[in-house]
Amino acid sequence: MAEKEMSFLDHLEELRWHLVRSFTAIFVIAIVIFFNINFVFNEVLLAHLKPDFATYQFFCKVFTSIGIDSSFCAIKFKQTLQALNPTQQLMTGIWSSLILGFVVAFPYILWEFWRFIAPGLHESERKKSRGFIFTSSLLFFLGILFSYYVILPMSVYFFYNFEISDAIENNFKLEAYISLITNTLLGVAVFFELPVVIFFLTKIGLITPEFLRKYRKHAFVVVLILSAIITPPDVASQVIVSVPIMILYEMSIYVSKFVIKQQQKNVTKSPRV
């Protein structure tokens, strides 16, 4: 049975309710997080200031096992952050709760997005795209984990220990530190969505595998630049960040190639007039 035609205003109304439900999910989760804000800050957002953080312990064991003395085995952080106005702790807590609410609600937001666009797809397209929510969520949370356990520890360690003069003391603001944590988490998670983005761009004909192969070297330069922006300015950190992003880029080429092959098959199977 053909689905009922919807007017432009009907589509807007439908979109509005999808957005309302998505924002409601974010706010509900954010409220739960805010009521547990002490635990969230001490155990999650400020965890990189603890010398026994898992990544520091891992690097310590690795370097020790190969006979190299490592500063990761004797990390010391000044664990106090400055709040420079009366409302800063409250506002930072609220903003952090909203961001983490978005992270936790991400699969549900994707589901609402899928429910909105699915009626406009053919049945065959719906079947082939059923893994969209799972794949996108998986890549998103892999980006979160990679950022949290690899990029952020290196960034915090670098910035806390870098100094240009003994006369200058590092006293970081709470707002600046939390912004570093949340912006890095979201930025890297978005990077990890590259294969999904390429899938849809190929679907609508804006990207081809040949295009991605042709500009592979250019993409590598861009990745290095972006890695330099979101990591400490040392070669090791940039390489560690660049490698998974380039792997995702290569995966995107195969994703684009797969989409093109499926489109060609559909054209071949379509009945001739």
Side-chain angles (χ1 to χ4, degrees):
M1 182 183 294
E3 295 186 9
K4 182 181 177 181
E5 289 289 334
M6 296 178 65
S7 67
F8 178 71
L9 291 179
D10 289 334
H11 281 293
L12 283 181
E13 178 67 13
E14 187 72 15
L15 176 61
R16 184 174 74 88
W17 281 107
H18 286 297
L19 292 175
V20 167
R21 287 190 290 268
S22 296
F23 281 113
T24 300
I26 293 173
F27 285 128
V28 169
I29 296 173
I31 290 171
V32 174
I33 292 173
F34 186 77
F35 277 106
N36 296 276
I37 199 66
N38 288 334
F39 173 83
V40 171
F41 263 72
N42 290 327
E43 302 300 327
V44 180
L45 296 179
L46 301 180
H48 303 96
L49 296 179
K50 298 178 180 180
D52 61 349
F53 186 70
T55 303
Y56 304 139
Q57 294 297 307
F58 172 77
F59 282 135
C60 174
K61 290 179 181 178
V62 169
F63 286 120
T64 302
S65 66
I66 58 178
I68 298 177
D69 292 332
S70 173
S71 57
F72 284 108
C73 298
I75 290 179
K76 292 182 180 179
F77 290 124
K78 184 177 181 180
Q79 297 185 32
T80 55
L81 298 168
Q82 295 184 349
L84 301 181
N85 63 65
T87 63
Q88 190 169 69
Q89 290 200 52
L90 175 62
M91 296 309 298
T92 301
I94 292 174
W95 183 243
S96 300
S97 299
L98 288 171
I99 293 175
L100 294 177
F102 170 80
V103 170
V104 175
F106 186 75
Y108 178 78
I109 295 170
L110 284 180
W111 184 64
E112 287 290 349
F113 173 73
W114 174 251
R115 289 179 61 195
F116 178 69
I117 66 171
L121 301 176
H122 296 295
E123 184 61 30
S124 59
E125 292 176 322
R126 293 180 197 175
K127 290 180 180 179
K128 293 173 184 175
S129 303
R130 280 176 181 169
F132 162 72
I133 297 174
F134 173 79
T135 303
S136 298
S137 299
L138 177 63
L139 290 172
F140 182 83
F141 287 116
L142 284 176
I144 292 289
L145 290 174
F146 180 75
S147 176
Y148 188 79
Y149 285 103
V150 179
I151 298 178
L152 282 172
M154 292 190 301
S155 299
V156 171
Y157 174 80
F158 175 82
F159 289 122
Y160 261 84
N161 288 278
F162 179 78
E163 59 180 26
I164 56 177
S165 172
D166 292 335
I168 303 173
E169 182 181 6
N170 288 330
N171 289 315
F172 299 119
K173 294 192 301 181
L174 171 64
E175 182 183 10
Y177 179 85
I178 297 301
S179 293
L180 170 67
I181 300 297
T182 54
N183 290 344
T184 303
L185 286 174
L186 291 179
V188 176
V190 170
F191 267 129
F192 271 62
E193 292 295 320
L194 182 61
V196 176
V197 173
I198 294 299
F199 175 85
F200 284 104
L201 290 179
T202 304
K203 273 278 189 183
I204 61 179
L206 292 180
I207 292 292
T208 63
E210 291 74 21
F211 175 87
L212 294 173
R213 291 192 188 99
K214 180 180 178 181
Y215 290 98
R216 181 187 278 118
K217 293 180 180 178
H218 301 77
F220 182 67
V221 173
V222 172
V223 167
L224 286 177
I225 294 173
L226 293 174
S227 300
I229 293 173
I230 64 176
T231 62
D234 63 86
V235 176
S237 299
Q238 293 175 26
V239 170
I240 291 173
V241 174
S242 300
V243 168
I245 295 178
M246 287 309 300
I247 291 175
L248 289 170
Y249 187 87
E250 294 299 322
M251 287 175 55
S252 299
I253 295 177
Y254 286 99
V255 168
S256 181
K257 187 176 179 180
F258 171 78
V259 173
I260 295 295
K261 282 185 177 181
Q262 291 298 119
Q263 290 176 338
Q264 291 174 346
K265 284 183 181 180
N266 292 337
V267 171
T268 304
K269 292 179 180 180
S270 60
R272 297 180 180 178
V273 180

